[in-house]
């Protein structure tokens, strides 16, 4: 059995989710996206749909400290996005909609 610790590239701290993000994820989604699946992608280094520059920044801050940002589109072609942000000193990670930021 593979330890989940091997798949985690950084600590999340306390977990929070904005009500709008939870509501969007509670709706029936074609690809069965859940808060746990997004968090799993985030901590494993699959940062979703971010720019090359943001991806490089995430890689840098995992090693040297700083905020980590992931962006996930809930359905292909939809306008629904969820962001997952882990704070710089890793006290918390929040799942939110872009309008909540």
């Amino acid at each position: 059995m593979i330890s989940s610790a091997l798949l985690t590239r950084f600590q999340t701290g306390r977990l929070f989710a904005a009500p709008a993000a939870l509501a969007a994820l509670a709706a029936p989604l074609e690809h069965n996206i859940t808060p746990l699946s997004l968090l799993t992608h985030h901590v494993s280094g699959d940062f979703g749909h971010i720019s090359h520059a943001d991806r490089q920044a995430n890689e840098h801050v995992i090693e040297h400290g700083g905020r980590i940002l992931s962006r996930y589109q809930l359905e292909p072609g939809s306008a629904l996005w969820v962001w997952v942000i882990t704070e710089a000193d890793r006290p918390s990670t929040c799942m939110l909609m872009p309008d909540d930021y």
Side-chain angles (χ1 to χ4, degrees):
M1 178 176 204
I2 297 174
S3 168
S4 62
L6 295 175
L7 303 175
T8 302
R9 298 193 52 209
F10 54 89
Q11 297 298 310
T12 61
R14 294 182 64 192
L15 302 175
F16 298 94
L22 289 177
L25 289 163
L29 298 170
E30 179 180 332
H31 299 287
N32 297 321
I33 298 170
T34 66
L36 181 58
S37 68
L38 294 184
L39 184 63
T40 300
H41 283 281
H42 179 70
V43 299
S44 71
D46 171 2
F47 306 119
H49 295 86
I50 61 173
S51 70
H52 180 70
D54 284 341
R55 189 169 311 281
Q56 287 183 313
N58 279 353
E59 293 296 337
H60 177 79
V61 300
I62 286 172
E63 296 298 321
H64 304 287
R67 186 190 70 162
I68 302 166
L69 167 69
S70 295
R71 291 179 57 226
Y72 304 100
Q73 189 173 31
L74 297 186
E75 292 288 349
S78 83
L80 286 177
W81 291 83
V82 172
W83 291 1
V84 182
I85 300 173
T86 298
E87 293 302 324
D89 53 353
R90 311 295 186 264
S92 64
T93 295
C94 187
M95 197 169 292
L96 63 155
M97 304 298 282
D99 290 343
D100 293 328
Y101 189 69

